[in-house]
Amino acid sequence: MRSRPPGALIIFAGAAWAFARFASTGLRGRSLIGEFHKIRLSLGRFLVLGLEFQLAGDVLRTAVAPGFTEIGQLAAIAAIRTS
């Protein structure tokens, strides 16, 4: 399996940040409803950024060694990740 460290690290960091923020908000006794939407939006931004890095890696890998199989895989990956 191919290694995808930059995107995976960004997604992991975003998930850890969101969990820490959610836990600290809950421990302080604040209303979670208002903060929950902000935390979800921030987590979504991390997810999108991580997926963009992964897609960029796939594009670069295909540009270096293009073949019909790689181009087809890239098209499928792009369709899945951008939908």
Side-chain angles (χ1 to χ4, degrees):
M1 184 166 214
R2 292 184 250 171
S3 173
R4 300 180 193 268
L9 288 176
I10 291 169
I11 292 171
F12 178 77
W17 178 87
F19 178 77
R21 182 89 185 259
F22 184 77
S24 69
T25 302
L27 290 175
R28 286 189 214 148
R30 288 185 180 174
S31 171
L32 287 178
I33 295 170
E35 288 293 314
F36 182 69
H37 294 294
K38 293 177 188 176
I39 294 168
R40 278 184 62 199
L41 286 174
S42 296
L43 177 59
R45 289 183 185 114
F46 277 103
L47 292 172
V48 168
L49 181 62
L51 291 175
E52 285 177 359
F53 270 92
Q54 289 183 349
L55 182 59
D58 290 335
V59 168
L60 290 175
R61 192 173 304 109
T62 301
V64 171
F68 287 115
T69 303
E70 289 83 9
I71 292 171
Q73 288 174 348
L74 179 62
I77 290 169
I80 291 169
R81 290 187 182 162
T82 58
S83 61

